[in-house]
Amino acid sequence: MSTPTLPDSLLDIRARLRSFADERDWDQFHTPKNLAMALSVEVAELVEHYQWLPTGADAELDEAKRTGIRHELADVLMYLVRLADKSGVDLHAAVLEKMELNRLKYPAEQVRGDARKSTEY
């Protein structure tokens, strides 16, 4: 059995999340507003694992932090996929579109090694 491609993986996650919510009759609560709010909370919980670390590099993390980060990343992805689903957004297509916009906004030959915003160069 082959490993699914990323778009297929996102579709699989979307289907599993739909089923999970349906089994619990939670679809009624999964409005775009509620999902966006929940997503922001999960991002804050992810950031909390990095708070006060010098850089957050792997060497600064113990196993408990790595586990917490992994779980919070999963929560972020689940809420993001669910929000995209409820909002009618194809995440794969949206990423490709945004990457093209960023390619035009940040030409590699102009910004290589420069972390400034596009308005600063």
Side-chain angles (χ1 to χ4, degrees), residues 2 6 8 11 13 23 25-26 28 33 37 42 44-45 67-68 86 90-91 98-99 102 104 107 115 120:
S2 65
L6 187 57
D8 290 340
L11 294 174
I13 291 168
E23 290 168 355
D25 192 26
W26 285 355
Q28 61 185 315
K33 177 199 70 89
M37 292 175 70
E42 294 303 335
E45 290 176 3
T67 298
K86 297 296 282 191
D90 177 336
L91 282 174
K98 185 62 178 179
M99 287 184 74
N102 286 343
L104 297 171
E120 298 175 353

Side-chain angles (χ1 to χ4, degrees), residues 20-29:
F20 189 88
D22 287 345
E23 290 168 355
R24 289 155 181 80
D25 192 26
W26 285 355
D27 197 57
Q28 61 185 315
F29 308 116

Side-chain angles (χ1 to χ4, degrees), residues 32-50:
K33 177 199 70 89
N34 287 348
L35 291 166
M37 292 175 70
L39 176 61
S40 73
V41 170
E42 294 303 335
V43 169
E45 290 176 3
L46 172 62
V47 170
E48 195 173 21
H49 289 285
Y50 293 104

Side-chain angles (χ1 to χ4, degrees), residues 47-63:
V47 170
E48 195 173 21
H49 289 285
Y50 293 104
Q51 190 173 17
W52 311 121
L53 296 177
T55 66
D58 193 56
E60 298 170 8
L61 306 173
D62 61 19
E63 199 53 42

